[in-house]
Amino acid sequence: MEGTPRILVTNDDGYAAQGLQVLADSLESLGEVWVVAPNVEQSAVSHALTLHRPLRTHRMAERRFTVDGTPTDCVTLALGALMADVPPDIVVSGINFGPNMGVDVHYSGTVSAAFEGVILGVPAIAVSQVIAEGYSFHPAAKFARELTAWVLEHGLPPETLLNVNVPAAPPVGVRLTRLGTRRYTEGVLEQRDPRGRRIYWIGGGEPLWENIPGTDFPTVHGGEVSVTPLNLDMTDAEFLKRLKAGPPSWVGGETAGV
Ligand code: MN
């Protein structure tokens, strides 16, 4: 890499979130940090893109902007407008307030912002912090800095991001992992509003994780940082191979069901 790297920092917890500020500060020594983040919290908005109304940015300071949209909007606007002259060398999303492990990466605005970077051709990292008694964003920020420096030097495969989860206690190590599996126990809670109408709350219970070795959850639970490479291509290569080996009746030729 030539010259000073440009680093785009975003998140889904909003511009004012402490995790974002700690992350941006820690990356300052690596290059020119730009922050483009939602003006209000956008957790669990996944990869939503705002298409049916205009977006507005607000300049908070030099290279610091809020957007009245989603994390994906922030990355899109950063690359397409705010930083359009020289695009960033890396997108770092986080530090999220709470983990993004297993199937939760599909709901996560933090991970989706990083994927938007990947889609637009910029290597990306997503960083999330487990919240429990005594947690601090500083170990996660320190590791994010080390990992960002590594990615700036080595790059990443074109469809890949690194999803990082950091335990609440100071980490005792770093481990490469797969996505874990969570059992859904939360369900839906039905209540009545003050006018007697039914209302519903999604979630609320404690998530139950399966203790599968080599996955993110037991790694973080054991006090280590987990780093999971995620690929944009969701094709199930294994099942595709099996289907092709013994094609079902609805595949191919004149006899196909279309
Ligand atoms: Mn969040």
Side-chain angles (χ1 to χ4, degrees):
M1 164 140 337
E2 286 171 35
T4 307
R6 275 188 152 187
I7 301 167
L8 171 60
V9 173
T10 189
N11 75 347
D12 76 359
D13 295 330
Y15 183 85
Q18 192 200 359
L20 176 97
Q21 300 301 332
V22 172
L23 177 63
D25 288 349
S26 93
L27 298 176
E28 281 290 349
S29 57
L30 290 181
E32 187 184 86
V33 174
W34 288 64
V35 175
V36 184
N39 61 348
V40 293
E41 186 177 351
Q42 296 281 323
S43 292
V45 301
S46 193
H47 211 124
L49 185 63
T50 303
L51 295 177
H52 301 290
R53 64 172 176 86
L55 292 164
R56 288 175 198 275
T57 61
H58 193 84
R59 186 177 175 278
M60 308 298 282
E62 202 187 349
R63 300 191 300 273
R64 299 289 188 273
F65 297 88
T66 62
V67 176
D68 60 345
T70 67
T72 295
D73 293 334
C74 291
V75 174
T76 304
L77 255 63
L79 270 75
L82 302 168
M83 303 178 74
D85 56 340
V86 183
D89 298 289
I90 188 167
V91 173
V92 186
S93 183
I95 301 166
N96 189 59
F97 187 85
N100 279 304
M101 301 184 289
V103 76
D104 286 348
V105 300
H106 290 282
Y107 305 103
S108 169
T110 306
V111 174
S112 295
F115 264 134
E116 189 60 22
V118 172
I119 288 170
L120 299 175
V122 180
I125 300 171
V127 185
S128 302
Q129 171 68 53
V130 174
I131 305 300
E133 183 90 35
Y135 85 94
S136 158
F137 283 115
H138 291 282
K142 191 165 168 248
F143 180 68
R145 186 188 177 283
E146 187 183 341
L147 193 60
T148 299
W150 185 88
V151 172
L152 285 170
E153 191 182 336
H154 299 272
L156 287 173
E159 301 227 312
T160 302
L161 65 77
L162 296 176
N163 185 42
V164 178
N165 281 280
V166 180
V172 296
V174 179
R175 195 175 288 269
L176 292 163
T177 56
R178 297 179 59 89
L179 286 179
T181 303
R182 192 176 76 158
R183 266 178 291 150
Y184 281 93
T185 56
E186 286 115 291
V188 173
L189 186 63
E190 184 183 312
Q191 295 177 338
R192 298 276 170 169
D193 76 7
R195 293 172 191 86
R197 291 175 297 210
R198 276 191 191 84
I199 54 171
Y200 299 92
W201 291 96
I202 292 174
E206 276 294 302
L208 268 181
W209 290 89
E210 293 191 23
N211 203 6
I212 305 165
T215 63
D216 47 18
F217 172 72
T219 297
V220 171
H221 191 67
E224 291 179 294
V225 174
S226 79
V227 180
T228 310
L230 300 181
N231 199 291
L232 196 56
D233 182 354
M234 292 168 73
T235 307
D236 187 335
E238 202 48 49
F239 190 49
L240 179 63
K241 213 164 100 186
R242 266 167 53 204
L243 284 171
K244 282 188 163 177
S249 59
W250 41 265
V251 171
E254 287 164 23
T255 58
V258 284

